[in-house]
Amino acid sequence: MKKSLTSLTLFFLAGTVALAQFGAETSPITTVAGVRTVLERVVGWIQIFFYIVATLMIILAAWSYLTAGGDETKVAGAKNKVIYALIAIAIAVIAGGIVTLVKNFVA
């Protein structure tokens, strides 16, 4: 076990050393437009994350509602999950709107 762990460690270290020979990349932030581009990308990824989480929460809420069997606490929990998912979607939409407002304000 120890031998295979050592071999695995050396394998990953060799890959790291090989990648280090390519040189450092320059930063994409050299102007104000570069800052805007980076912020747009970050907000875009956050939006995608919120949409995925909201979709999963809606699916889980539907599952909880279907398996509640008339239990009021489980039904209330499912409704709360749907509310939280809608809040996540609203935050993602607002984040995109803020980016658009800032982009129009700066331009």
Side-chain angles (χ1 to χ4, degrees):
M1 178 70 179
K2 191 171 185 177
K3 183 178 179 181
S4 64
L5 185 61
T6 305
S7 299
L8 188 63
T9 304
L10 288 175
F11 175 75
F12 284 117
L13 286 176
T16 305
V17 171
L19 289 174
Q21 295 176 2
F22 286 110
E25 293 187 25
T26 59
S27 173
I29 302 174
T30 55
T31 62
V32 175
V35 173
R36 187 177 67 186
T37 302
V38 169
L39 287 176
E40 287 175 359
R41 288 181 184 171
V42 168
V43 170
W45 281 105
I46 291 172
Q47 279 183 307
I48 290 170
F49 175 76
F50 272 98
Y51 290 138
I52 290 171
V53 169
T55 303
L56 291 175
M57 284 185 69
I58 289 173
I59 292 170
L60 288 173
W63 180 259
S64 296
Y65 187 76
L66 289 173
T67 60
D71 186 10
E72 292 297 324
T73 58
K74 289 183 180 180
V75 171
K79 287 180 183 179
N80 285 337
K81 286 179 186 176
V82 170
I83 290 171
Y84 296 148
L86 292 175
I87 289 171
I89 291 171
I91 289 172
V93 169
I94 290 170
I98 289 173
V99 168
T100 304
L101 283 174
V102 170
K103 190 185 334 180
N104 290 338
F105 182 72
V106 172

